[in-house]
């Protein structure tokens, strides 16, 4: 795609991204929820997103599938109040919906296997009904504009204009860093275009390419992104990646998930036990004045977390020592 078409597509996506953002009021209420509360907390949400990262990697799904699943999950959680016991069904439904949109049919994981390896305690019927609820509440068709949308466009534009070596800016590394950011609810408040540009600038500064940095500045001016807003999210991205790269941050081994539930083992697992069918979730949006949850009891809680086995791109060269010093920077290059 030529430069003019890329910039045109960039502008169109920039104008439409607002329609795919989670409600900020809902995200704020999730952030204010404590672990002892009967509603979803930020920590609970983040752990479930890490589970989605594990499953995405295990089944060989694309980054696009993971990012779309997180987008659907956050938009739903910011709209409908649910109890923690329902979160596994909601999150896995979002992953399944995303996979149906982004993956080839031959690569799709059977629903029964998805539930079994996801270590969940609900039925295929439950999952199907939850997907319908999510689709209706979000008016979901077949796409969403996410930070990955902009990351791909920025990467293409940068490489098409840069005279530096093309392999110095790794899209795979940028995608892995985006996944790490999406595991924190706070980044769901960022506009996708700004989050993606913050990641791009972090990596350009890491490879020390003045040519690419100038292109990033041109993109910022083209979209009329304010310096202050970009600086704010760039600092948060730097802090996130710095903490993620530190030895204090526990980044469990992806091989652990393969050892526990390898494909061979999964095929031999007995069928999951039957559970009561999922009742319809009553309508009910986030409301600070309401004290009771809008969802009725559905399934037994207690599913184990898979977040101890993040995707294989959750560690290694994608989170270098460079990011440990990024938070000390107080300004962007002009």
């Amino acid at each position: 795609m030529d430069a003019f078409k890329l910039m045109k597509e960039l502008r169109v996506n920039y104008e439409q991204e607002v329609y795919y953002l989670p409600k900020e009021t809902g995200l704020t209420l999730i952030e204010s929820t404590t672990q002892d509360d009967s509603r979803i907390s930020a920590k609970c949400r983040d752990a479930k997103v890490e589970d989605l990262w594990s499953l995405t990697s295990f089944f060989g799904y694309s980054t696009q599938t993971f990012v779309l699943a997180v987008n659907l999950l956050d938009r739903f959680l910011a709209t409908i109040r649910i109890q923690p016991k329902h979160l596994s069904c909601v999150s896995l439904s979002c992953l399944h919906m995303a996979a149906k949109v982004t993956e080839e049919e031959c690569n799709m994981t059977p629903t029964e296997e998805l539930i079994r390896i996801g270590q969940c305690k609900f039925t295929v019927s439950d999952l199907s009904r939850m997907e319908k609820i999510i689709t209706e509440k979000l008016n979901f068709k077949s796409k969403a504009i996410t930070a990955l949308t902009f990351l791909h466009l920025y990467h293409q534009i940068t490489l098409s204009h840069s005279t530096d070596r093309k392999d110095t800016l790794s899209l795979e590394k940028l995608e892995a860093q985006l996944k790490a950011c999406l595991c924190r609810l706070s980044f769901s408040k960022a506009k996708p275009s700004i989050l993606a540009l913050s990641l791009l600038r972090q990596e350009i500064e890491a490879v020390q390419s003045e040519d690419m940095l100038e292109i990033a500045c041109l993109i910022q001016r083209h979209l009329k992104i304010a310096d202050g807003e970009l600086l704010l999210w760039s600092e948060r991205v730097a802090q996130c990646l710095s903490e993620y790269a530190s030895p204090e941050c526990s980044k469990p081994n992806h091989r652990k998930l393969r050892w526990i539930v390898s494909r061979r083992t999964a095929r031999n697992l007995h069928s999951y036990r039957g559970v009561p069918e999922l009742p319809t979730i009553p309508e009910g949006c986030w409301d600070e004045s309401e004290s009771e949850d809008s969802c009725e009891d559905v399934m037994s809680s207690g599913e184990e977390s898979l977040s101890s086995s993040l995707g294989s791109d959750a560690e290694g060269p994608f989170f270098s020592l460079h990011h440990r010093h990024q938070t000390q920077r107080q300004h962007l290059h002009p």
Side-chain angles (χ1 to χ4, degrees):
M1 188 181 297
D2 61 39
F4 176 77
K5 289 183 178 180
L6 282 172
M7 296 303 281
K8 183 178 180 180
E9 183 177 349
L10 179 60
R11 170 56 66 176
V12 171
N13 283 286
Y14 182 73
E15 292 173 350
Q16 294 181 354
E17 69 175 338
V18 65
Y19 301 114
Y20 302 95
L21 294 175
K23 294 180 179 179
E24 189 168 351
T25 53
L27 295 178
T28 300
L29 283 168
I30 294 174
E31 287 180 324
S32 65
T33 300
T34 64
Q35 282 293 98
D36 298 330
D37 205 328
S38 61
R39 296 184 286 194
I40 301 297
S41 66
K43 185 175 182 180
C44 185
R45 174 269 181 200
D46 291 351
K48 196 55 63 176
V49 171
E50 289 176 354
D51 286 352
L52 292 181
W53 189 351
S54 298
L55 292 171
T56 299
S57 181
F58 181 75
F59 290 119
Y61 288 164
S62 66
T63 301
Q64 185 179 6
T65 298
F66 171 76
V67 175
L68 178 56
V70 175
N71 176 265
L72 292 173
L73 176 63
D74 285 340
R75 286 162 59 194
F76 187 75
L77 294 181
T79 303
I80 303 296
R81 295 187 302 112
I82 67 170
Q83 296 179 9
K85 66 177 69 178
H86 301 134
L87 186 55
S88 290
C89 188
V90 173
S91 63
L92 208 63
S93 296
C94 290
L95 179 63
H96 195 232
M97 289 170 63
K100 287 191 289 187
V101 171
T102 61
E103 303 292 337
E104 296 291 337
E105 188 173 354
C106 60
N107 295 330
M108 284 290 298
T109 301
T111 309
E112 296 87 349
E113 184 178 352
L114 182 66
I115 294 173
R116 191 163 58 240
I117 294 183
Q119 302 176 23
C120 299
K121 299 176 182 178
F122 48 81
T123 67
V124 173
S125 178
D126 292 336
L127 191 74
S128 178
R129 280 200 301 278
M130 183 61 78
E131 286 184 26
K132 291 180 181 178
I133 293 171
I134 296 171
T135 299
E136 291 173 1
K137 297 302 179 184
L138 301 183
N139 193 27
F140 179 66
K141 303 300 182 182
S142 62
K143 71 166 188 174
I145 295 172
T146 66
L148 186 65
T149 306
F150 290 99
L151 204 57
H152 283 186
L153 284 171
Y154 294 161
H155 186 263
Q156 286 182 273
I157 293 170
T158 302
L159 295 191
S160 66
H161 287 80
S162 176
T163 57
D164 289 346
R165 287 176 52 191
K166 307 301 182 184
D167 58 354
T168 58
L169 192 63
S170 168
L171 181 59
E172 188 179 6
K173 183 176 181 179
L174 287 167
E175 288 184 353
Q177 292 172 346
L178 172 61
K179 290 178 182 178
C181 289
L182 292 181
C183 287
R184 298 190 178 190
L185 179 67
S186 57
F187 286 99
S188 297
K189 288 186 173 182
K191 290 182 179 179
S193 55
I194 297 177
L195 176 57
L197 189 56
S198 299
L199 285 163
L200 180 73
R201 291 198 60 141
Q202 291 287 328
E203 189 56 26
I204 288 176
E205 290 177 6
V207 301
Q208 299 180 335
S209 171
E210 292 297 330
D211 184 31
M212 291 183 179
L213 186 58
E214 183 178 347
I215 296 170
C217 290
L218 288 172
I219 292 173
Q220 179 187 350
R221 289 196 292 270
H222 178 71
L223 298 180
K224 299 180 180 179
I225 296 174
D227 290 339
E229 195 169 12
L230 182 59
L231 175 60
L232 172 65
W233 287 105
S234 292
E235 290 176 343
R236 291 178 179 178
V237 165
Q239 181 179 358
C240 173
L241 298 183
S242 176
E243 293 172 355
Y244 200 85
S246 70
E248 288 77 17
C249 179
S250 176
K251 294 181 285 296
N253 196 336
H254 172 59
R255 291 188 295 272
K256 183 177 179 182
L257 178 61
R258 291 188 178 279
W259 180 78
I260 293 175
V261 285
S262 65
R263 290 183 180 278
R264 181 178 178 182
T265 302
R267 286 196 296 268
N268 295 325
L269 287 175
H270 59 77
S271 299
Y272 49 88
R273 59 196 176 96
V275 293
E277 291 195 343
L278 179 68
T280 301
I281 295 180
E283 299 221 8
C285 300
W286 277 103
D287 187 347
E288 293 182 85
S289 63
E290 294 178 359
S291 59
E292 297 183 359
D293 295 290
S294 60
C295 296
E296 298 176 3
D297 290 350
V298 181
M299 301 154 288
S300 60
S301 57
E303 284 99 351
E304 296 180 4
S305 173
L306 301 176
S307 58
S308 60
S309 303
L310 292 178
S312 56
D313 53 356
E315 51 188 309
F318 293 159
F319 301 92
S320 62
L321 293 174
H322 163 76
H323 293 296
R324 300 182 191 179
H325 308 290
Q326 282 284 328
T327 51
Q328 298 175 3
R329 298 191 178 187
Q330 298 298 318
H331 64 277
L332 295 172
H333 290 289

